[in-house]
Each structure stands twice: as C-alpha cells, then as structure tokens.
C-alpha cells in the first residue's frame, strides 16, 4: 500500500510531460544550398557515425542528405563500400565553401580492399552526401557556399 501513492505520482508526472521528440529529429540539420534549396541532413560527428555513413541504405529522400563533420580540417578518405545507392559527395572547408565534388559515385560491389578511396586534394572539414545527380540538378559548383 505504501508503494501505491509514489507509483501513482510517478505515472501522473510522466504522463504530464510533453511528447518526446521523434528519434529521426535528434541529429537533423537543415542545410541550404546556394540556390535556396533546403536539404534535411543527418549529422555524423562521432567516429562510429563517420565510419558507417550511408552504408546499408537502400534509398534517400530527394530532400535529404548526410553531413559529415570532422573535428578539424584534414584529409579524410571516403569510399562507397557497402553503400547501396549512387551518391554525390561534396567536400567543404571551414567556411562551408565547396572545394570539390564527386558526382554520381557508384556503390562498390567488391571487397573492401578493392574499393577506391576518395580524398579531396585540399584539407576539408565537412562532407555533404546527396543522392546521385542531386548536385548537378541543384546547380552546385566548386567555390559556392552552403549555409547552416
């Protein structure tokens, strides 16, 4: 009997809270491309997230992408191992300026050892991945600035 009142108060307290935020929204960031198109991106910051990236995804909504955030500018290799959909890979500097683009990169269907690695020749801090063909469709060019 002495446990009923505290349990009832706990239930009432929990039910009075606002609804929880959907898990999908926890790491979402809106990125605005140079011509105004808004892309909802999942942000990848942790080592595990940076390594996993788009692996095993069978689709990506047209207005979605993935933003990789590195702790400091550098040369980080990217590849298409276990990536199932074609992607545009956009490397950016500290100021979100596009340094280089890999357009319509195709999934690597071989062993990890045989998959090519892609690295921007300039130090970069951010990488934006979009559906293959999206960069061209959105009019992206080297030197343009992306906002977030």
């Amino acid at each position: 009997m002495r446990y009923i009142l505290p349990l009832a108060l706990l239930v009432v307290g929990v039910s009075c809270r606002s609804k929880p935020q959907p898990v999908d929204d926890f790491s979402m960031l809106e990125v605005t491309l140079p011509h105004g198109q808004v892309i909802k991106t999942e942000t990848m910051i942790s080592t595990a997230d940076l390594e996993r990236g788009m692996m095993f995804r069978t689709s990506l909504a047209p207005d979605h992408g993935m933003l990789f955030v590195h702790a400091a500018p550098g040369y980080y290799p990217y590849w298409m191992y276990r990536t199932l959909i074609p992607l545009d890979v956009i490397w950016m500097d500290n100021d979100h300026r596009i340094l280089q683009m890999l357009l319509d990169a195709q999934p690597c269907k071989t062993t990890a050892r045989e998959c090519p690695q892609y690295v921007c020749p300039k130090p970069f801090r951010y990488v934006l991945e979009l559906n293959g063909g999206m960069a061209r469709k959105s009019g992206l060019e080297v030197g343009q600035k992306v906002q977030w």
Side-chain angles (χ1 to χ4, degrees), residues 6 10 14 46 59 64 104-105 113 116 121 128:
L10 178 65
V14 169
S46 73
S59 66
H64 282 67
D104 207 31
R113 182 178 296 131
L128 177 62

Side-chain angles (χ1 to χ4, degrees), residues 27-75:
S27 63
M28 296 299 279
L29 176 69
E30 287 191 350
V31 169
T32 304
L33 301 181
H35 298 293
Q37 182 179 4
V38 176
I39 303 292
K40 296 174 185 169
T41 64
E42 296 175 56
T43 54
M44 301 290 119
I45 298 172
S46 73
T47 302
D49 287 342
L50 289 168
E51 290 175 358
R52 183 182 59 252
M54 288 280 197
M55 287 181 172
F56 311 110
R57 305 264 177 122
T58 57
S59 66
L60 181 63
D63 64 339
H64 282 67
M66 191 171 281
L67 180 67
F68 296 81
V69 179
H70 295 281
Y75 302 91

Side-chain angles (χ1 to χ4, degrees), residues 76-80 89 91 102 105-106 116-120 124:
Y76 308 96
Y78 278 69
W79 63 352
M80 297 292 290
V89 183
W91 286 270
L102 173 64
Q106 295 299 306
Q117 292 189 2
Y118 308 102
V119 180
C120 181
F124 62 91

Side-chain angles (χ1 to χ4, degrees), residues 131-145:
N131 275 312
M134 196 69 177
R136 187 174 291 119
K137 183 177 177 181
S138 301
L140 294 183
E141 296 179 16
V142 171
Q144 291 177 323
K145 204 168 183 180

